[in-house]
Amino acid sequence: MTLRICLIGAGDIKYHYFNLLKVKEEEFKKEIEAIAKIIVNSGYEIVLLPDRGISFEIAKRYKKLGRGRVIGTVPLSDKDFGIDHLKSYMESKIKRKKVFDEFIDTENWYKQDLTHCIFGDVIFMLGNSLGSLGELVYGYYLYKLFIGDKPEVQAKRKAIHPEARAGEDIPYSVIVYKPFVKEKLNYEIEEYIRKLNGKIYYVKNSEELKAVLEKLKTLAHN
């Protein structure tokens, strides 16, 4: 079984990382390169929204290494906002090879935001933007329903979407990449995740990321 890591983070790289967090551009590029290499070498697939931002930059470098599958979550049937702004990313190629190997249809933008993180075994938090925070929290809210923590609501992973996999094979986990966030997750959110037996890992560099990914693979094989 191949584990899948869901990438979430800021779309506006210049504002979020360079201006807000004061990350130097060269350091940012080195971090992206190191992250992509670790994920590839750890044998994980990646899933992300095909849009501008840090997740797509990692996906490009991941694909450039020539191994591993990249899955996009896309609201293909959306009528309110549409997906025209995603098409150039969906069709993007690296060395004549498409960045994305397949797409998961999330139907519309409301379901996209709600379900994005449940298509991974692990969430990789790369920045506390408005969108990424929403995706993280809604991912765990749906997981709460999956495990019956809200008894009056019956919700099954595969009924929500056949590709949903949050919590199937390992504890539903979030890895927070400290070089790209200013502070830890909100205290109350942390406690809700722990209440659901979810796991939170704070990593300060790519080597710590490697160790966590290997640990999670061990859990999957036990």
Side-chain angles (χ1 to χ4, degrees):
M1 181 207 53
T2 302
L3 291 177
R4 184 181 294 169
I5 185 166
C6 179
L7 309 182
I8 57 174
D12 189 338
I13 290 174
K14 182 177 180 181
Y15 171 73
H16 190 91
Y17 302 99
F18 304 159
N19 294 347
L20 196 60
L21 299 184
K22 309 301 182 187
V23 178
K24 295 187 182 300
E25 188 169 354
E26 282 306 308
E27 186 60 32
F28 179 82
K29 290 178 180 178
K30 288 179 182 178
E31 291 282 6
I32 295 299
E33 201 73 41
I35 288 168
K37 186 175 181 180
I38 290 296
I39 297 175
V40 167
N41 290 341
S42 297
Y44 282 66
E45 299 176 344
I46 60 174
V47 59
L48 65 148
L49 173 70
D51 201 357
R52 68 170 185 159
I54 190 169
S55 297
F56 186 70
E57 293 305 310
I58 290 173
K60 286 193 299 183
R61 284 154 180 77
Y62 176 98
K63 183 57 69 174
K64 190 175 181 180
L65 294 171
R67 305 187 302 278
R69 295 174 69 250
V70 180
I71 299 103
T73 60
V74 183
L76 294 173
S77 308
D78 186 80
K79 303 299 182 186
D80 289 343
F81 304 100
I83 61 167
D84 285 349
H85 62 294
L86 303 183
K87 289 181 178 176
S88 62
Y89 300 97
M90 293 169 66
E91 298 167 359
S92 182
K93 295 182 178 181
I94 299 294
K95 294 184 176 180
R96 300 181 182 178
K97 181 186 294 184
K98 285 189 175 182
V99 172
F100 290 90
D101 296 288
E102 68 174 271
F103 297 104
I104 294 171
D105 182 9
T106 56
E107 298 182 19
N108 59 59
W109 278 106
Y110 312 106
K111 289 185 71 174
Q112 165 68 31
D113 294 340
L114 198 67
T115 63
H116 178 62
C117 284
I118 67 171
F119 298 112
D121 302 285
V122 185
I123 303 167
F124 192 23
M125 186 72 162
L126 293 150
N128 289 321
S129 66
L130 297 176
S132 60
L133 282 171
E135 290 165 341
L136 173 72
V137 171
Y138 276 126
Y140 273 102
Y141 183 75
L142 285 178
Y143 180 63
K144 169 190 172 88
L145 303 183
F146 295 160
I147 64 173
D149 194 64
K150 192 170 184 177
E152 62 272 27
V153 178
Q154 299 296 317
K156 304 295 183 183
R157 288 179 188 82
K158 302 307 182 184
I160 299 297
H161 197 288
E163 290 279 351
R165 54 164 66 196
E168 268 191 340
D169 297 300
I170 61 172
Y172 195 31
S173 305
V174 56
I175 302 172
V176 181
Y177 200 65
K178 292 180 71 176
F180 290 155
V181 297
K182 187 72 172 177
E183 298 175 352
K184 296 176 69 177
L185 295 176
N186 172 277
Y187 167 76
E188 291 97 325
I189 297 302
E190 279 193 340
E191 291 307 306
Y192 272 106
I193 291 173
R194 293 191 174 106
K195 178 177 180 285
L196 302 173
N197 293 317
K199 301 297 183 183
I200 305 169
Y201 301 93
Y202 290 94
V203 299
K204 63 184 180 183
N205 53 45
S206 59
E207 286 304 309
E208 288 192 1
L209 171 63
K210 177 181 178 180
V212 171
L213 293 180
E214 291 301 321
K215 177 180 179 179
L216 293 172
K217 280 173 63 177
T218 300
L219 291 176
H221 293 144
N222 288 338

